[in-house]
Amino acid sequence: MNAIISAADLAAALARPNPPVLLDVRWQLSVAKAAGEPPFDGRAAHASGHIPGAVFVDLDRELASAPGGNGRHPLPDVEEFGAAMRRAGVSAARPVVVYDGGQGWAAARAWWLLRWTGHPDVRVLDGGLAAWEGELETAVPEPAEGDFAPAPGAVPLLDADAAGELARFGLLFDARAGERYRGDVEPIDRVGGHIPGAVSAPTTENVGPDGRFLPAAELQARFKALGAGDGREVGVYCGSGVSAAHEVLALAVAGIPAALYVGSWSEWSSDPARPVAVGPDPR
């Protein structure tokens, strides 16, 4: 099953019997902003216009638990996540399509969580809401309760120890911008740099100027040039397990399975005992 869907194919699917459940996960990374600038409000964005029938899902509250020692976006409580998905109308026998404002990171986080908890048919709208050419609605959907029962472990997950091991003996991609990988800047976390042995692979290089994924063959070539392929175990991390989910999605489009380190750099760097590498060299 393809992990992404075009806007045209989504429009056709919505017109057929048993249309997919639509989840709107618009979100933006919260960093220091100019004084007086309000933070991004995904729920307000949804209320101002969304694909008809789409239910808003809050990344910070429903796709993650509270920030802490396990990072800025730790895994949500599984039962609470399942309840949130059922409220949104998610059922095991009905396909799901997730979208965000266009960056794709938040949608990928929802895609990964649903896949990790066992949903068999989840796709991300390629290009997000910006790619949608149909009408929008402002009415708040009231979906029928779904029956989705999460069963974690359907796709691979890394903790800090496993990520460190994979960086040494397998292939661990760092999906953040190159300057954060090198440690040139670090706007959020305690210290800059990367997990020793991790390979820089910014997720922004997986998409074109329109925010849509590069063709699968181009993604395959990119990841193979970075060392993936031939059955080598692959993992991905980022700052807090959001943009890394987008890279796991890109790898899926390329036909390369990969594990996600959800805690990512926000967890790794919070422990002074864990080693940190800086500069362009993985080690």
Side-chain angles (χ1 to χ4, degrees):
M1 184 192 72
N2 198 346
I4 58 176
I5 185 171
S6 69
D9 286 346
L10 173 58
L14 291 172
R16 293 195 292 265
N18 194 37
V21 173
L22 277 176
L23 304 180
D24 180 335
V25 198
R26 275 178 277 182
W27 170 87
Q28 289 181 10
L29 179 65
S30 294
V31 296
K33 294 179 178 291
E37 183 181 347
F40 177 78
D41 187 338
R43 192 175 297 277
H46 175 266
S48 70
H50 51 266
I51 298 176
V55 178
F56 179 72
V57 173
D58 190 316
L59 185 148
D60 290 318
R61 293 176 175 83
E62 296 174 310
L63 305 183
S65 55
N70 293 324
R72 282 191 307 281
H73 290 105
L75 287 173
D77 176 86
V78 171
E79 292 306 314
E80 291 180 6
F81 172 70
M85 293 299 97
R86 289 190 292 274
R87 286 195 302 272
V90 175
S91 293
R94 189 175 171 190
V96 177
V97 173
V98 191
Y99 72 89
D100 57 26
Q103 189 178 42
W105 296 3
R109 171 74 175 217
W111 166 84
W112 183 87
L113 275 169
L114 281 164
R115 296 290 296 121
W116 178 67
T117 52
H119 198 288
D121 190 351
V122 190
R123 287 177 286 178
V124 169
L125 175 58
D126 195 16
L129 185 62
W132 179 255
E133 297 181 351
E135 294 183 354
L136 301 179
E137 70 174 13
T138 58
V140 176
E142 296 182 2
E145 183 88 0
D147 64 12
F148 179 64
V155 296
L157 169 69
L158 300 174
D159 61 14
D161 290 341
E165 287 290 306
L166 189 58
R168 289 193 295 273
F169 303 113
L171 180 62
L172 183 67
F173 286 140
D174 185 319
R176 299 173 299 160
E179 59 267 25
R180 291 186 69 193
Y181 170 88
R182 296 188 299 270
D184 299 343
V185 298
E186 181 43 63
I188 307 173
D189 294 311
R190 185 185 67 84
V191 64
H194 58 270
I195 298 173
V199 174
S200 180
T203 199
T204 53
E205 296 180 16
N206 296 323
V207 299
D210 59 1
R212 302 183 196 189
F213 282 103
L214 300 176
E218 292 184 28
L219 290 172
Q220 288 172 353
R222 180 190 186 220
F223 291 125
K224 286 184 178 179
L226 292 169
D230 300 323
R232 191 177 186 187
E233 188 177 356
V234 178
V236 188
Y237 76 97
C238 59
S240 65
V242 178
S243 65
H246 189 264
E247 184 129 299
V248 172
L249 177 58
L251 283 154
V253 172
I256 301 170
L260 177 65
Y261 173 26
V262 172
S264 285
W265 189 248
S266 60
E267 177 186 44
W268 183 277
S269 65
S270 69
D271 184 350
R274 293 194 186 104
V276 172
V278 295
D281 184 63
R283 301 190 184 278

